[in-house]
Amino acid sequence: MLTDRQRAILKIVVEEYVHSSQPVGSKALVERTRLPVSPSTVRSELAELEQHGLLTHPHTSAGRVPTERGYRFYVDELLDRLEPRPPEPPLELSQPRREVEDALRETTDMLSRVTRLLALASAPPIEGATVRHVEVLLLQPQVVMVVVITSTGGVNKGTYGLGAPIDPGLVRWAGEYLSEELEGERLGTRTLRRRFDDPSLSERERDFLATLRPAFTATAREEQRLFVGGAAGLLDELRAEEAGSYRGLLEILEQRAAVLDLLAWTLDPGRLLVRVGDELDVPELRELSLVGASYGLTHQSLGSVSLLGPLRMDYDKAIRSVRGAALELSRFVEGLYGE
């Protein structure tokens, strides 16, 4: 257990080190922060914090720097003091007819620009999307193609051959029926499935729809997509000792599945997640930290938005930025997918 003064000193050391990237000494700490104590008292408290494993000092300096455990303690203090509602982010996603992909690109660009960190966002699984448009086309006398366009911008095509010539009138009817009945319906829902088994349809119509149905189930199995912002400027403010960690990050970004697995940690609805260093459990990222949150509907997470950066990151800004972005994305997808 730390005293209130020790907590305050640890907070100042972390924030000073994040700002300056230089070890923080007792004299400078008192001068910069106007603590109502002497440098000798601060030195004693710094030594105590070092014994707790929260601070350390480079061999060539009397100043202290946070340890991974010190960052974790600092982050926990921030999370305990979170305001009930996150601040509004500097972006507006509610323009009409905006695609999910555009919203995620704008979000990651904004986050990386504001924080100078790498921004990651996972798109909603296609099951969360709605059908925007359906086309049924007769390619050959015995071959028909179905085109399904979703609200996320995804396009799936399915081509199906039958053993006999297909009635062009049946093809036209199927296109009109599926457009009228499925547009606006969410993929993978019971309501959508019922449209294919409507008892008011004739057996001939239901059989033909059954042939076309795989185009919709295949669309629902489409892979989740990943959006990255800030990769181009990732090395602009890089310190020499952080180069290895960022190299590992750039390598792992090429492994899309591994990154999506990493972001899956943040998919607990309504929960903000911060992982520091070894908590990421990814060897290539052991000297980095992640701040992430899910976005989606009230009772369903559809994706996540996260920031990745060095242990020496501005956690307060990262947490506020991610929370605000997740809130704005949730508003956006509620308007798009909400029932």
Side-chain angles (χ1 to χ4, degrees):
M1 296 294 292
L2 301 185
T3 65
D4 289 343
R5 185 163 65 193
Q6 288 170 343
R7 290 171 185 268
I9 290 175
L10 177 62
K11 178 177 182 291
I12 294 168
V13 171
V14 172
E15 292 175 352
E16 282 291 315
Y17 182 63
V18 166
H19 174 71
S20 69
S21 78
Q22 298 299 316
V24 183
S26 56
K27 182 178 179 181
L29 196 153
V30 172
E31 290 174 350
R32 294 176 196 170
T33 61
R34 298 181 180 178
L35 283 172
V37 293
S38 67
S40 61
T41 299
V42 172
R43 281 195 296 273
S44 174
E45 296 288 31
L46 290 173
E48 187 74 18
L49 290 169
E50 190 166 352
Q51 287 184 353
H52 283 297
L54 301 171
L55 298 177
T56 187
H57 64 276
H59 296 299
T60 58
S61 170
R64 264 65 172 196
V65 300
T67 63
E68 187 175 304
R69 186 177 178 186
Y71 284 120
R72 180 73 256 178
F73 190 96
Y74 173 79
V75 166
D76 288 339
E77 294 276 290
L78 287 177
L79 296 178
D80 286 341
R81 299 195 305 270
L82 283 180
E83 65 273 21
R85 189 170 182 81
E88 296 289 333
L91 80 162
E92 171 60 52
L93 302 177
S94 61
Q95 289 93 330
R97 300 188 64 81
R98 181 187 289 273
E99 299 285 358
V100 170
E101 292 177 343
D102 295 333
L104 291 174
R105 287 193 189 95
E106 184 171 337
T107 299
T108 52
D109 287 346
M110 179 277 296
L111 284 174
S112 64
R113 185 173 63 251
V114 168
T115 65
R116 308 295 293 175
L117 300 171
L118 186 75
L120 304 168
S122 59
I126 204 73
E127 291 90 338
T130 56
V131 177
R132 174 160 289 178
H133 187 66
V134 179
E135 290 276 358
V136 183
L137 306 170
L138 187 62
L139 299 183
Q140 299 175 16
Q142 298 181 0
V143 179
V144 65
M145 182 172 73
V146 183
V147 180
V148 182
I149 301 174
T150 71
S151 57
T152 64
V155 179
N156 186 65
K157 299 176 183 179
T159 303
Y160 308 98
L162 281 73
I166 306 167
D167 180 359
L170 185 62
V171 173
R172 285 193 299 272
W173 168 84
E176 294 170 358
Y177 175 82
L178 292 173
S179 294
E180 292 173 2
E181 298 295 327
L182 300 189
E183 287 182 12
E185 293 289 346
R186 195 180 305 167
L187 287 165
T189 62
R190 198 173 300 169
T191 303
L192 185 141
R193 292 192 293 270
R194 280 201 296 262
R195 298 291 188 261
F196 287 89
D197 301 318
D198 190 333
S200 67
L201 301 177
S202 69
E203 183 178 354
R204 176 171 175 259
E205 290 168 338
R206 284 198 301 272
D207 287 345
F208 187 60
L209 291 181
T211 301
L212 309 181
R213 189 169 181 170
F216 295 85
T217 56
T219 302
R221 288 193 298 268
E222 181 181 296
E223 266 194 300
Q224 196 171 12
R225 286 155 298 157
L226 177 69
F227 294 81
V228 180
L234 193 61
L235 306 180
D236 288 350
E237 300 177 9
L238 186 64
R239 299 175 64 207
E241 60 268 30
E242 296 167 348
S245 299
Y246 273 98
R247 190 176 298 112
L249 173 57
L250 292 173
E251 290 173 358
I252 203 170
L253 280 177
E254 297 177 2
Q255 307 172 36
R256 183 178 168 282
V259 178
L260 287 171
D261 285 345
L262 181 67
L263 298 187
W265 287 350
T266 65
L267 286 177
D268 188 0
R271 182 185 176 198
L272 181 77
L273 186 75
V274 181
R275 289 285 185 262
V276 178
D278 285 340
E279 295 172 354
L280 285 171
D281 199 28
V282 179
E284 296 88 343
L285 308 181
R286 63 184 179 275
E287 295 178 18
L288 300 176
S289 292
L290 177 144
V291 178
S294 67
Y295 67 88
L297 308 179
T298 304
H299 302 294
Q300 180 188 5
S301 292
L302 295 177
S304 67
V305 57
S306 305
L307 287 167
L308 262 173
L311 293 174
R312 188 186 60 86
M313 73 159 64
D314 186 338
Y315 290 94
D316 185 42
K317 178 184 283 187
I319 288 170
R320 287 186 284 107
S321 300
V322 165
R323 290 186 76 207
L327 174 65
E328 184 62 21
L329 281 171
S330 292
R331 287 174 180 162
F332 174 73
V333 297
E334 182 68 39
L336 196 62
Y337 301 153
E339 295 178 343

